[in-house]
Amino acid sequence: MGLMGDRTRLWETRRLVEAPGDGSDQELTSYGAVAAATAEAGDTADLELETARRKAAESGDPAALSMLGALLLRRGDLDGAERHLRAATADGDRSAANNLGVLLHQRGYGDEAAGWWRIAAVAGSSAAAHALGRYHRERGDEPAAEYWLRQSAESGHALGAYALADLLEHRTDVGAERWFRAAAERGHREAAYRLARILDGRAPRARKTTLGPGGVETSVRELRAAAADGRDGAAAREAEQWYRQAAARGHRRAALHLGTLLEGRGETQEAARWYLTSAKDGESRAACALGFLLRDAGDGESAAVWWRRAAQDGDGNAANALGALHADRGEAGEAERWYRQALDHGDVNGAYNLGLLCAEQGRTAQAEQWYRRAAYAGHREAANALAVLLLQHGDAAGAEPWFSKAAEAGSVDAAFNLGILYAGRDEERMAVQWYERAATAGHTEAALQVAMALLRDGDEEGAERHLRVAVRGGSAEAAFRLGALLDRDDDTRDECEEWYGRAARQGHRRAQVRLGMLVAERGDVVEAAHWYRQAAEAGSRNGAFNLGLLLAREGSEPEAAVWWARAADAGHGRAALRLALLAARRGDLTEGRHWCESAVRLGPPEVAERAARLRDALQQELTA
């Protein structure tokens, strides 16, 4: 038989030695590595097959010799295999030439193995072309590697397509995607995963995420952040399909990424199943992610089990999560132990969390040390925390550069704090610049500060825009100020009441008073009294005064006097004047004069003037 014999039969022979995967998440590292496990000695079917092949070999048929050599190679009998494979290659069997290359490579004779692979590759063996391409790549000859890998890939060999894609991606060649796809379509799970990563990186998101080496996030923290951003579009949908294909074939990292994608869509039950699958296969990040899902579902004990498993495998994020769990329970010693372990695993958040723990315990010197360690390692929130600590100790000059470093690294809180720092120095322009930067990133209080600056400048339109941003962030003050801004126009009165109501329900006293005034205007005395009372009981002197007015109009002057007294004691001049008038009508001139004195002192001017006239009249009555 010549070298260009029956392709179908030879390919079936080749499959006994080389399979498209090696059972791991990594690409094959040896050329044409033996993929199948050695058959058990008691396997009757294999014994019969070997007997039949030996009989065939006695006839000298090169195809039978090649198949027998492949079987022996698969079982680890290198000596027996080599004899039969060399006999088959002598008669031009290309499959035997390829397998002989595999055998020689296993024995450490790489150059001789390459010679046989070249013979088989020239004869049309795509598996040999793949092995030869890998051989050249390992030796740094990329042009030769690409030539042979391309030969293998274009012949439909999945491993060749994958190896070519890997080479092209290493060179940032866009052609890599085509060959990852070709390999994935032929069932190569690592290619399916790598293709999914390319597509996933292309999917539109709310913001960019930072990926680790090779486009893989370095911790589940980044994975969950990316999931929270959401992915959409055709690229995201196709990425999910390839993740599923790879995960279904046992690819643990694909299962992890599929889990984060599903979690980002809120499909937590299916996400948990994939995390579990990945975690059981040894992926510590999946165990960590599963722990977070369980914690979010209220099962802290089960979460701790998975976090502990991930932390023991070196996952710093899981160790930090365990530390936080113990800190929440008041177990500071255990929390510190896990934070230190996170740091030992290279997670700088461990140092930051140690700083937080020490700060909570009043150990400010140690807190500063840990914050500095994390900050010098590039942890932006640690830099912000360090700056806050320095500022609290009166070291504004030392705090400012750390606030700046944190803000430039993307800390929204640090940008806001820089605004506060500059505002404290009356450097309004610089303060507003940093507030605007924080507001753009969604900081609620910063948006409120920008709105107030714009109101001072008379820019009501810009102020309204920022107030609405702050309201979406839950700011009661912003809701009140937005209501006050809209309160100036009858056309927006209904919306104004809506914002007052939102702030009032959050306990904002001034909003409660304004809302009471609005509902009182339309005659709803009961609701008005409710909001005035809410404000008064929370300490609002205006609320107490208005509640007194309402009660007095309803004929409850004794109760009104109680609330006016509370308001007057809190510095409300009008309430003091009302009490003075009540006392005068009752004939209690001494008490009336007392409240007049309070009203004169408290003002405002028109109230003080009226109170002074009443005081003088009462004094005349007392001395008459």
Side-chain angles (χ1 to χ4, degrees), residues 396-433:
E400 184 176 347
W402 285 112
F403 277 139
S404 296
K405 185 174 182 178
E408 294 296 345
S411 171
V412 180
D413 287 336
F416 177 66
N417 288 336
L418 269 176
I420 294 175
L421 191 66
Y422 283 112
R425 297 174 182 169
D426 293 326
E427 298 181 43
E428 187 67 22
R429 185 179 61 82
M430 288 297 296
V432 171
Q433 284 182 8

mmCIF file of all heavy atoms in Angstrom, residues 396-433:
data_model
loop_
_atom_site.group_PDB
_atom_site.id
_atom_site.type_symbol
_atom_site.label_atom_id
_atom_site.label_comp_id
_atom_site.label_asym_id
_atom_site.label_seq_id
_atom_site.Cartn_x
_atom_site.Cartn_y
_atom_site.Cartn_z
ATOM 1 N N ALA A 396 -4.588 67.894 56.815
ATOM 2 C CA ALA A 396 -5.207 68.135 55.510
ATOM 3 C C ALA A 396 -4.181 68.081 54.394
ATOM 4 O O ALA A 396 -4.471 67.597 53.289
ATOM 5 C CB ALA A 396 -5.912 69.485 55.513
ATOM 6 N N ALA A 397 -2.966 68.550 54.672
ATOM 7 C CA ALA A 397 -1.916 68.530 53.645
ATOM 8 C C ALA A 397 -1.541 67.108 53.275
ATOM 9 O O ALA A 397 -1.275 66.804 52.106
ATOM 10 C CB ALA A 397 -0.690 69.286 54.151
ATOM 11 N N GLY A 398 -1.528 66.213 54.255
ATOM 12 C CA GLY A 398 -1.225 64.812 53.969
ATOM 13 C C GLY A 398 -2.379 64.083 53.317
ATOM 14 O O GLY A 398 -2.181 63.142 52.548
ATOM 15 N N ALA A 399 -3.600 64.523 53.605
ATOM 16 C CA ALA A 399 -4.784 63.852 53.063
ATOM 17 C C ALA A 399 -4.982 64.159 51.587
ATOM 18 O O ALA A 399 -5.373 63.277 50.809
ATOM 19 C CB ALA A 399 -6.020 64.270 53.845
ATOM 20 N N GLU A 400 -4.736 65.394 51.202
ATOM 21 C CA GLU A 400 -5.064 65.816 49.842
ATOM 22 C C GLU A 400 -4.435 64.955 48.750
ATOM 23 O O GLU A 400 -5.142 64.543 47.808
ATOM 24 C CB GLU A 400 -4.681 67.287 49.641
ATOM 25 C CG GLU A 400 -5.091 67.808 48.268
ATOM 26 C CD GLU A 400 -4.802 69.284 48.090
ATOM 27 O OE1 GLU A 400 -4.516 69.965 49.100
ATOM 28 O OE2 GLU A 400 -4.877 69.752 46.941
ATOM 29 N N PRO A 401 -3.122 64.630 48.805
ATOM 30 C CA PRO A 401 -2.562 63.802 47.723
ATOM 31 C C PRO A 401 -3.172 62.409 47.645
ATOM 32 O O PRO A 401 -3.298 61.847 46.560
ATOM 33 C CB PRO A 401 -1.065 63.752 48.054
ATOM 34 C CG PRO A 401 -0.934 64.191 49.456
ATOM 35 C CD PRO A 401 -2.076 65.099 49.729
ATOM 36 N N TRP A 402 -3.578 61.859 48.806
ATOM 37 C CA TRP A 402 -4.206 60.531 48.767
ATOM 38 C C TRP A 402 -5.619 60.614 48.201
ATOM 39 O O TRP A 402 -6.048 59.719 47.463
ATOM 40 C CB TRP A 402 -4.214 59.915 50.161
ATOM 41 C CG TRP A 402 -2.869 59.412 50.578
ATOM 42 C CD1 TRP A 402 -2.065 59.900 51.554
ATOM 43 C CD2 TRP A 402 -2.152 58.322 49.984
ATOM 44 N NE1 TRP A 402 -0.889 59.196 51.624
ATOM 45 C CE2 TRP A 402 -0.917 58.215 50.673
ATOM 46 C CE3 TRP A 402 -2.416 57.430 48.955
ATOM 47 C CZ2 TRP A 402 0.034 57.245 50.350
ATOM 48 C CZ3 TRP A 402 -1.463 56.457 48.637
ATOM 49 C CH2 TRP A 402 -0.261 56.376 49.330
ATOM 50 N N PHE A 403 -6.342 61.691 48.539
ATOM 51 C CA PHE A 403 -7.651 61.887 47.908
ATOM 52 C C PHE A 403 -7.476 61.996 46.389
ATOM 53 O O PHE A 403 -8.228 61.389 45.614
ATOM 54 C CB PHE A 403 -8.312 63.167 48.424
ATOM 55 C CG PHE A 403 -9.048 63.021 49.722
ATOM 56 C CD1 PHE A 403 -8.968 64.010 50.691
ATOM 57 C CD2 PHE A 403 -9.845 61.908 49.967
ATOM 58 C CE1 PHE A 403 -9.668 63.897 51.888
ATOM 59 C CE2 PHE A 403 -10.545 61.781 51.166
ATOM 60 C CZ PHE A 403 -10.449 62.786 52.131
ATOM 61 N N SER A 404 -6.470 62.758 45.971
ATOM 62 C CA SER A 404 -6.239 62.964 44.532
ATOM 63 C C SER A 404 -5.881 61.644 43.848
ATOM 64 O O SER A 404 -6.390 61.338 42.760
ATOM 65 C CB SER A 404 -5.117 63.985 44.320
ATOM 66 O OG SER A 404 -5.495 65.253 44.817
ATOM 67 N N LYS A 405 -5.009 60.872 44.487
ATOM 68 C CA LYS A 405 -4.604 59.595 43.896
ATOM 69 C C LYS A 405 -5.798 58.657 43.760
ATOM 70 O O LYS A 405 -5.970 57.994 42.726
ATOM 71 C CB LYS A 405 -3.527 58.947 44.766
ATOM 72 C CG LYS A 405 -2.942 57.673 44.187
ATOM 73 C CD LYS A 405 -1.786 57.151 45.027
ATOM 74 C CE LYS A 405 -1.179 55.899 44.401
ATOM 75 N NZ LYS A 405 -0.017 55.403 45.186
ATOM 76 N N ALA A 406 -6.612 58.609 44.806
ATOM 77 C CA ALA A 406 -7.789 57.735 44.770
ATOM 78 C C ALA A 406 -8.788 58.202 43.718
ATOM 79 O O ALA A 406 -9.361 57.396 42.970
ATOM 80 C CB ALA A 406 -8.454 57.696 46.141
ATOM 81 N N ALA A 407 -8.985 59.524 43.644
ATOM 82 C CA ALA A 407 -9.944 60.067 42.677
ATOM 83 C C ALA A 407 -9.486 59.823 41.252
ATOM 84 O O ALA A 407 -10.284 59.444 40.387
ATOM 85 C CB ALA A 407 -10.145 61.564 42.925
ATOM 86 N N GLU A 408 -8.197 60.020 40.992
ATOM 87 C CA GLU A 408 -7.675 59.787 39.649
ATOM 88 C C GLU A 408 -7.767 58.312 39.264
ATOM 89 O O GLU A 408 -7.866 57.968 38.092
ATOM 90 C CB GLU A 408 -6.224 60.264 39.556
ATOM 91 C CG GLU A 408 -6.040 61.771 39.695
ATOM 92 C CD GLU A 408 -6.705 62.552 38.570
ATOM 93 O OE1 GLU A 408 -7.055 61.948 37.542
ATOM 94 O OE2 GLU A 408 -6.878 63.778 38.719
ATOM 95 N N ALA A 409 -7.744 57.426 40.272
ATOM 96 C CA ALA A 409 -7.864 55.988 40.010
ATOM 97 C C ALA A 409 -9.314 55.559 39.859
ATOM 98 O O ALA A 409 -9.591 54.388 39.584
ATOM 99 C CB ALA A 409 -7.209 55.191 41.132
ATOM 100 N N GLY A 410 -10.246 56.506 40.049
ATOM 101 C CA GLY A 410 -11.657 56.184 39.812
ATOM 102 C C GLY A 410 -12.528 56.108 41.043
ATOM 103 O O GLY A 410 -13.691 55.705 40.954
ATOM 104 N N SER A 411 -12.001 56.483 42.217
ATOM 105 C CA SER A 411 -12.823 56.447 43.426
ATOM 106 C C SER A 411 -13.790 57.629 43.416
ATOM 107 O O SER A 411 -13.381 58.788 43.520
ATOM 108 C CB SER A 411 -11.941 56.497 44.679
ATOM 109 O OG SER A 411 -12.755 56.674 45.836
ATOM 110 N N VAL A 412 -15.057 57.342 43.345
ATOM 111 C CA VAL A 412 -16.080 58.388 43.326
ATOM 112 C C VAL A 412 -16.139 59.090 44.681
ATOM 113 O O VAL A 412 -16.274 60.311 44.758
ATOM 114 C CB VAL A 412 -17.450 57.779 42.973
ATOM 115 C CG1 VAL A 412 -18.523 58.847 42.949
ATOM 116 C CG2 VAL A 412 -17.387 57.070 41.623
ATOM 117 N N ASP A 413 -16.017 58.302 45.762
ATOM 118 C CA ASP A 413 -16.046 58.901 47.100
ATOM 119 C C ASP A 413 -14.880 59.870 47.293
ATOM 120 O O ASP A 413 -15.034 60.916 47.927
ATOM 121 C CB ASP A 413 -15.992 57.805 48.168
ATOM 122 C CG ASP A 413 -17.293 57.049 48.279
ATOM 123 O OD1 ASP A 413 -18.342 57.605 47.897
ATOM 124 O OD2 ASP A 413 -17.276 55.892 48.737
ATOM 125 N N ALA A 414 -13.705 59.516 46.751
ATOM 126 C CA ALA A 414 -12.545 60.393 46.896
ATOM 127 C C ALA A 414 -12.769 61.705 46.142
ATOM 128 O O ALA A 414 -12.387 62.777 46.627
ATOM 129 C CB ALA A 414 -11.290 59.692 46.385
ATOM 130 N N ALA A 415 -13.369 61.627 44.965
ATOM 131 C CA ALA A 415 -13.668 62.856 44.215
ATOM 132 C C ALA A 415 -14.614 63.742 45.017
ATOM 133 O O ALA A 415 -14.429 64.969 45.097
ATOM 134 C CB ALA A 415 -14.279 62.500 42.861
ATOM 135 N N PHE A 416 -15.626 63.144 45.631
ATOM 136 C CA PHE A 416 -16.560 63.908 46.456
ATOM 137 C C PHE A 416 -15.843 64.511 47.660
ATOM 138 O O PHE A 416 -16.055 65.681 48.010
ATOM 139 C CB PHE A 416 -17.699 62.997 46.922
ATOM 140 C CG PHE A 416 -18.676 63.670 47.840
ATOM 141 C CD1 PHE A 416 -19.477 64.705 47.388
ATOM 142 C CD2 PHE A 416 -18.795 63.268 49.161
ATOM 143 C CE1 PHE A 416 -20.385 65.332 48.223
ATOM 144 C CE2 PHE A 416 -19.699 63.888 50.012
ATOM 145 C CZ PHE A 416 -20.490 64.923 49.550
ATOM 146 N N ASN A 417 -14.974 63.720 48.283
ATOM 147 C CA ASN A 417 -14.248 64.219 49.450
ATOM 148 C C ASN A 417 -13.306 65.364 49.086
ATOM 149 O O ASN A 417 -13.100 66.285 49.888
ATOM 150 C CB ASN A 417 -13.472 63.083 50.104
ATOM 151 C CG ASN A 417 -14.386 62.110 50.828
ATOM 152 O OD1 ASN A 417 -15.492 62.468 51.226
ATOM 153 N ND2 ASN A 417 -13.949 60.874 50.987
ATOM 154 N N LEU A 418 -12.728 65.300 47.893
ATOM 155 C CA LEU A 418 -11.901 66.422 47.444
ATOM 156 C C LEU A 418 -12.749 67.686 47.308
ATOM 157 O O LEU A 418 -12.298 68.791 47.623
ATOM 158 C CB LEU A 418 -11.248 66.095 46.103
ATOM 159 C CG LEU A 418 -9.869 65.432 46.153
ATOM 160 C CD1 LEU A 418 -9.412 65.077 44.737
ATOM 161 C CD2 LEU A 418 -8.846 66.342 46.814
ATOM 162 N N GLY A 419 -13.980 67.510 46.841
ATOM 163 C CA GLY A 419 -14.894 68.648 46.760
ATOM 164 C C GLY A 419 -15.129 69.260 48.130
ATOM 165 O O GLY A 419 -15.095 70.490 48.302
ATOM 166 N N ILE A 420 -15.351 68.397 49.131
ATOM 167 C CA ILE A 420 -15.562 68.880 50.500
ATOM 168 C C ILE A 420 -14.309 69.600 51.001
ATOM 169 O O ILE A 420 -14.388 70.662 51.645
ATOM 170 C CB ILE A 420 -15.905 67.702 51.429
ATOM 171 C CG1 ILE A 420 -17.257 67.095 51.046
ATOM 172 C CG2 ILE A 420 -15.913 68.147 52.883
ATOM 173 C CD1 ILE A 420 -17.619 65.860 51.830
ATOM 174 N N LEU A 421 -13.139 69.038 50.687
ATOM 175 C CA LEU A 421 -11.876 69.626 51.129
ATOM 176 C C LEU A 421 -11.711 71.038 50.568
ATOM 177 O O LEU A 421 -11.379 71.982 51.298
ATOM 178 C CB LEU A 421 -10.715 68.729 50.686
ATOM 179 C CG LEU A 421 -9.336 69.032 51.268
ATOM 180 C CD1 LEU A 421 -9.317 68.766 52.761
ATOM 181 C CD2 LEU A 421 -8.280 68.175 50.578
ATOM 182 N N TYR A 422 -11.950 71.185 49.279
ATOM 183 C CA TYR A 422 -11.814 72.502 48.651
ATOM 184 C C TYR A 422 -12.896 73.467 49.123
ATOM 185 O O TYR A 422 -12.645 74.666 49.295
ATOM 186 C CB TYR A 422 -11.836 72.373 47.133
ATOM 187 C CG TYR A 422 -10.533 71.877 46.558
ATOM 188 C CD1 TYR A 422 -10.445 70.627 45.959
ATOM 189 C CD2 TYR A 422 -9.383 72.651 46.627
ATOM 190 C CE1 TYR A 422 -9.243 70.166 45.435
ATOM 191 C CE2 TYR A 422 -8.178 72.207 46.111
ATOM 192 C CZ TYR A 422 -8.112 70.958 45.518
ATOM 193 O OH TYR A 422 -6.916 70.509 45.012
ATOM 194 N N ALA A 423 -14.103 72.954 49.340
ATOM 195 C CA ALA A 423 -15.177 73.818 49.837
ATOM 196 C C ALA A 423 -14.827 74.363 51.216
ATOM 197 O O ALA A 423 -15.118 75.526 51.536
ATOM 198 C CB ALA A 423 -16.491 73.050 49.883
ATOM 199 N N GLY A 424 -14.187 73.527 52.047
ATOM 200 C CA GLY A 424 -13.770 73.974 53.373
ATOM 201 C C GLY A 424 -12.725 75.068 53.318
ATOM 202 O O GLY A 424 -12.558 75.830 54.288
ATOM 203 N N ARG A 425 -12.019 75.159 52.203
ATOM 204 C CA ARG A 425 -11.027 76.228 52.027
ATOM 205 C C ARG A 425 -11.611 77.423 51.271
ATOM 206 O O ARG A 425 -10.876 78.334 50.885
ATOM 207 C CB ARG A 425 -9.835 75.697 51.226
ATOM 208 C CG ARG A 425 -9.064 74.573 51.886
ATOM 209 C CD ARG A 425 -8.022 74.067 50.901
ATOM 210 N NE ARG A 425 -7.266 72.951 51.429
ATOM 211 C CZ ARG A 425 -6.455 72.201 50.687
ATOM 212 N NH1 ARG A 425 -6.303 72.482 49.397
ATOM 213 N NH2 ARG A 425 -5.787 71.204 51.235
ATOM 214 N N ASP A 426 -12.917 77.370 51.012
ATOM 215 C CA ASP A 426 -13.603 78.416 50.238
ATOM 216 C C ASP A 426 -13.091 78.492 48.800
ATOM 217 O O ASP A 426 -13.179 79.547 48.157
ATOM 218 C CB ASP A 426 -13.456 79.787 50.916
ATOM 219 C CG ASP A 426 -14.195 79.844 52.244
ATOM 220 O OD1 ASP A 426 -15.248 79.198 52.341
ATOM 221 O OD2 ASP A 426 -13.700 80.506 53.166
ATOM 222 N N GLU A 427 -12.563 77.382 48.305
ATOM 223 C CA GLU A 427 -12.141 77.317 46.900
ATOM 224 C C GLU A 427 -13.299 76.696 46.109
ATOM 225 O O GLU A 427 -13.269 75.535 45.716
ATOM 226 C CB GLU A 427 -10.857 76.499 46.753
ATOM 227 C CG GLU A 427 -9.664 77.098 47.490
ATOM 228 C CD GLU A 427 -8.402 76.271 47.312
ATOM 229 O OE1 GLU A 427 -8.126 75.822 46.164
ATOM 230 O OE2 GLU A 427 -7.687 76.057 48.308
ATOM 231 N N GLU A 428 -14.329 77.538 45.923
ATOM 232 C CA GLU A 428 -15.593 77.046 45.384
ATOM 233 C C GLU A 428 -15.441 76.448 43.985
ATOM 234 O O GLU A 428 -16.051 75.411 43.676
ATOM 235 C CB GLU A 428 -16.607 78.193 45.358
ATOM 236 C CG GLU A 428 -18.023 77.761 44.983
ATOM 237 C CD GLU A 428 -18.661 76.862 46.022
ATOM 238 O OE1 GLU A 428 -18.230 76.876 47.189
ATOM 239 O OE2 GLU A 428 -19.592 76.135 45.654
ATOM 240 N N ARG A 429 -14.641 77.078 43.145
ATOM 241 C CA ARG A 429 -14.520 76.598 41.765
ATOM 242 C C ARG A 429 -13.939 75.184 41.729
ATOM 243 O O ARG A 429 -14.458 74.308 41.039
ATOM 244 C CB ARG A 429 -13.620 77.553 40.964
ATOM 245 C CG ARG A 429 -13.531 77.202 39.472
ATOM 246 C CD ARG A 429 -12.651 78.195 38.741
ATOM 247 N NE ARG A 429 -11.291 78.194 39.264
ATOM 248 C CZ ARG A 429 -10.370 77.293 38.902
ATOM 249 N NH1 ARG A 429 -10.674 76.364 38.010
ATOM 250 N NH2 ARG A 429 -9.146 77.346 39.400
ATOM 251 N N MET A 430 -12.866 74.945 42.489
ATOM 252 C CA MET A 430 -12.263 73.607 42.529
ATOM 253 C C MET A 430 -13.215 72.602 43.172
ATOM 254 O O MET A 430 -13.300 71.449 42.741
ATOM 255 C CB MET A 430 -10.948 73.652 43.293
ATOM 256 C CG MET A 430 -9.824 74.352 42.561
ATOM 257 S SD MET A 430 -9.386 73.480 41.015
ATOM 258 C CE MET A 430 -8.793 71.914 41.646
ATOM 259 N N ALA A 431 -13.922 73.049 44.191
ATOM 260 C CA ALA A 431 -14.871 72.147 44.855
ATOM 261 C C ALA A 431 -15.933 71.664 43.871
ATOM 262 O O ALA A 431 -16.231 70.458 43.791
ATOM 263 C CB ALA A 431 -15.528 72.861 46.033
ATOM 264 N N VAL A 432 -16.482 72.598 43.104
ATOM 265 C CA VAL A 432 -17.534 72.230 42.152
ATOM 266 C C VAL A 432 -16.997 71.304 41.073
ATOM 267 O O VAL A 432 -17.688 70.370 40.627
ATOM 268 C CB VAL A 432 -18.172 73.493 41.534
ATOM 269 C CG1 VAL A 432 -19.112 73.131 40.397
ATOM 270 C CG2 VAL A 432 -18.917 74.281 42.598
ATOM 271 N N GLN A 433 -15.749 71.512 40.645
ATOM 272 C CA GLN A 433 -15.159 70.625 39.629
ATOM 273 C C GLN A 433 -15.135 69.181 40.107
ATOM 274 O O GLN A 433 -15.479 68.269 39.363
ATOM 275 C CB GLN A 433 -13.740 71.089 39.296
ATOM 276 C CG GLN A 433 -13.674 72.325 38.418
ATOM 277 C CD GLN A 433 -12.241 72.708 38.087
ATOM 278 O OE1 GLN A 433 -11.297 71.975 38.380
ATOM 279 N NE2 GLN A 433 -12.078 73.871 37.468
#
